[in-house]
Amino acid sequence: MPTKRDFKRKSGFRDSRLIIIAAEGEQTERLYFEGLKSCYQNPRVHIEILEHIYPSSDPAKVIRSLDRFCSNYNLRKGHDQLWLVIDVDRWGNQKLSEVSTQCDQKNYQLSVSNPSFEIWLLFHVKALEDYSPEMLAELLENKKDGNRTRLEQELLNLLGSYNKTNPDMEYFAGHVNLAIQNARIADIEPETRWPNHLGSRVYLLAMEIVPGNNG
């Protein structure tokens, strides 16, 4: 069995917290967190976004990416963090329950968006309280019309342009504190393992990354 290696942290960042992120989405989430990492040089954290190594976006397979990282590197228990970023849509409560149990057993942090990661992006622009109940129901259902889901179309309407393969990180990074605020307000049942209503727990991860939000 190969010996685990110490993760090489940048000079001057030896005591930084290592935050490892494995996301279900193949493009948008990775580009978002890479952009956030570039925009916020937080000396207290070192961020690594894992590459997709499995063809399927099944969250159980994304967990294997975190398992693989843990098997290769020595991590500081209680200090370093491993995050799984997934969506509610397509998986259902039973699958999410299984994934949540695995995360608890492995001490992985779980960050779920309902219905999809785009609700987290929407929080950078607008609060849920600005929408009618009918519109909120549409956003939660998130039907696809042509090539865009309802949330993607709403981002396009609000921003004038939205490309999930090339999100405008200058804009999103500049409004991340607003997104954290809006997502926290929307999280009306924070004790649940994932949002049962329209919302996103990505704000918990963002608070760890962006300076000034977590102690």
Side-chain angles (χ1 to χ4, degrees), residues 8-213:
K8 188 175 181 181
R9 304 171 201 239
K10 292 181 181 179
S11 178
F13 293 80
R14 302 301 183 193
D15 295 326
S16 63
R17 169 177 289 167
L18 185 61
I19 295 180
I20 308 303
I21 303 171
E24 174 187 2
E26 296 185 21
Q27 294 180 316
T28 311
E29 292 93 325
R30 178 177 179 81
L31 292 169
Y32 177 88
F33 288 115
E34 289 284 9
L36 210 61
K37 175 183 176 181
S38 297
C39 290
Y40 290 96
Q41 300 294 321
N42 188 347
R44 300 180 63 181
V45 299
H46 181 103
I47 303 163
E48 288 292 319
I49 301 96
L50 300 184
E51 295 275 2
H52 258 259
I53 59 174
Y54 299 102
S56 170
S57 64
D58 184 325
K61 292 184 178 179
V62 183
I63 286 179
R64 292 182 202 167
S65 297
L66 294 174
D67 293 341
R68 190 166 176 263
F69 189 92
C70 287
S71 68
N72 289 329
Y73 293 102
N74 290 312
L75 300 177
R76 299 171 183 171
K77 189 174 182 181
H79 185 70
D80 296 330
Q81 297 180 350
L82 296 104
W83 285 82
L84 177 67
V85 179
I86 61 174
D87 299 336
V88 166
D89 61 1
R90 295 189 296 147
W91 302 119
N93 288 337
Q94 182 175 347
K95 185 69 172 182
L96 287 171
S97 181
E98 293 171 2
V99 169
S100 177
T101 298
Q102 287 188 58
C103 286
D104 286 343
Q105 292 170 345
K106 298 171 184 285
N107 291 317
Y108 297 163
Q109 306 295 318
L110 183 61
S111 178
V112 181
S113 296
N114 188 8
S116 69
F117 189 76
E118 278 73 27
I119 187 60
W120 166 246
L121 298 182
L122 183 63
F123 284 136
H124 293 68
V125 191
K126 205 168 180 178
L128 295 187
E129 62 191 28
D130 296 330
Y131 289 100
S132 68
E134 293 77 17
M135 180 63 79
L136 292 174
E138 282 188 25
L139 296 176
L140 181 60
E141 189 176 9
N142 203 28
K143 279 187 176 180
K144 198 164 189 177
D145 184 6
N147 294 324
R148 296 184 185 275
T149 65
R150 185 64 186 85
L151 277 166
E152 290 168 356
Q153 184 61 52
E154 182 65 9
L155 287 167
L156 177 63
N157 294 341
L158 293 171
L159 298 174
S161 65
Y162 174 67
N163 183 350
K164 67 187 303 176
T165 65
N166 186 26
D168 183 355
M169 281 311 301
E170 183 177 353
Y171 178 87
F172 288 122
H175 291 78
V176 67
N177 285 312
L178 176 62
I180 291 171
Q181 175 185 322
N182 286 335
R184 290 183 74 172
I185 293 171
D187 194 6
I188 58 176
E189 296 178 333
E191 71 283 356
T192 61
R193 291 181 291 177
W194 61 84
N196 292 309
H197 306 278
L198 195 63
S200 174
R201 296 271 169 83
V202 175
Y203 77 89
L204 297 173
L205 174 52
M207 288 174 63
E208 297 288 344
I209 296 172
V210 179
N213 280 285

